[in-house]
Amino acid sequence: MNNPQLNKNGELQHLLTTDGLPAPILRDILDRAASFVNVAEGKKSKKSRCCTAKRFSTSSSRIARAPVHLEIAAKRLSADVVNLNIGSSSTSKGETLLDTVDNLCAMHADMFVVRHSQSGAVHLIARHVAPQIHVINAGDGRHAHPTQALLDMFTIRHYKKSFTICASPSSAMSCTRAWRVRKFTH
């Protein structure tokens, strides 16, 4: 089956959803995230740039803090960040989402981290961009929120030290939901 998140070599190209991601890729993401914990907590210098991308964070979210969280996280990893609120930008003047993406690509974007109110918007962007550009879904409507799912998996693995019950990518979301319910009700 063709997975739109993977390139022809089976490597992660875009992060659109946790569904269908092979377990080794999920583990690799979590292992890499663990190496950045000290940077996120301010215990390690940002001397070595782990993100050299020109990252465009686009959002049509009404949640004011969401773009700020994305920007802070990216800057802690030394990324150059440009935030764009799609809802109050050129799309409000008639430009399509893909027109906006094309304009940002012309400015040599390496990556888009997208939070959008419409389900599937991030998939549309991922299908549209050039192969060297990466797209990360930071939440699209009611469809998927893989960055939150990965954070939940990271937290479970950190505290439980075992991740075998959630090894199946298709069960990752239900596993994190069940863990949250147990954690906050007991």
Side-chain angles (χ1 to χ4, degrees):
M1 184 169 94
N2 184 22
N3 187 328
Q5 302 182 102
L6 306 178
N7 66 20
K8 62 183 176 186
N9 299 322
E11 301 163 328
L12 190 63
Q13 173 71 26
H14 307 294
L15 178 61
L16 306 175
T17 180
T18 54
D19 290 339
L21 277 182
I25 288 179
L26 287 171
R27 281 190 214 100
D28 183 53
I29 292 169
L30 297 175
D31 291 344
R32 287 175 190 239
S35 73
F36 293 115
V37 169
N38 287 335
V39 173
E41 292 176 349
K43 296 177 184 174
K44 187 176 179 184
S45 166
K46 296 188 299 184
K47 287 180 188 172
S48 62
R49 289 176 65 93
C50 56
C51 288
T52 57
K54 288 181 187 161
R55 177 186 160 276
F56 288 88
S57 179
T58 63
S59 177
S60 70
S61 174
R62 291 188 199 114
I63 303 169
R65 64 181 162 72
V68 174
H69 288 172
L70 296 172
E71 180 177 359
I72 290 169
K75 285 184 175 183
R76 283 186 177 158
L77 297 174
S78 301
D80 295 326
V81 179
V82 176
N83 275 314
L84 174 66
N85 184 334
I86 297 250
S88 64
S89 71
S90 49
T91 58
S92 65
K93 298 172 192 150
E95 188 173 276
T96 70
L97 176 62
L98 293 181
D99 290 337
T100 302
V101 168
D102 284 340
N103 286 328
L104 295 174
C105 287
M107 294 180 222
H108 306 290
D110 298 303
M111 179 185 311
F112 289 94
V113 178
V114 181
R115 182 173 180 95
H116 201 281
S117 59
Q118 292 198 343
S119 298
V122 180
H123 285 263
L124 176 68
I125 293 169
R127 285 192 307 271
H128 183 75
V129 297
Q132 72 275 11
I133 298 174
H134 304 280
V135 178
I136 296 175
N137 184 354
D140 67 332
R142 294 177 180 221
H143 177 248
H145 199 321
T147 52
Q148 183 64 54
L150 288 167
L151 178 60
D152 291 347
M153 287 185 252
F154 182 86
T155 303
I156 293 167
R157 190 171 83 161
H158 175 77
Y159 287 102
K160 292 290 188 181
K161 306 297 182 206
S162 171
F163 206 52
T164 55
I165 62 165
C166 296
S168 167
S170 61
S171 68
M173 283 302 287
S174 59
C175 177
T176 57
R177 283 188 197 116
W179 181 81
R180 280 185 186 173
V181 170
R182 285 193 300 272
K183 178 182 175 198
F184 295 115
T185 60
H186 291 95

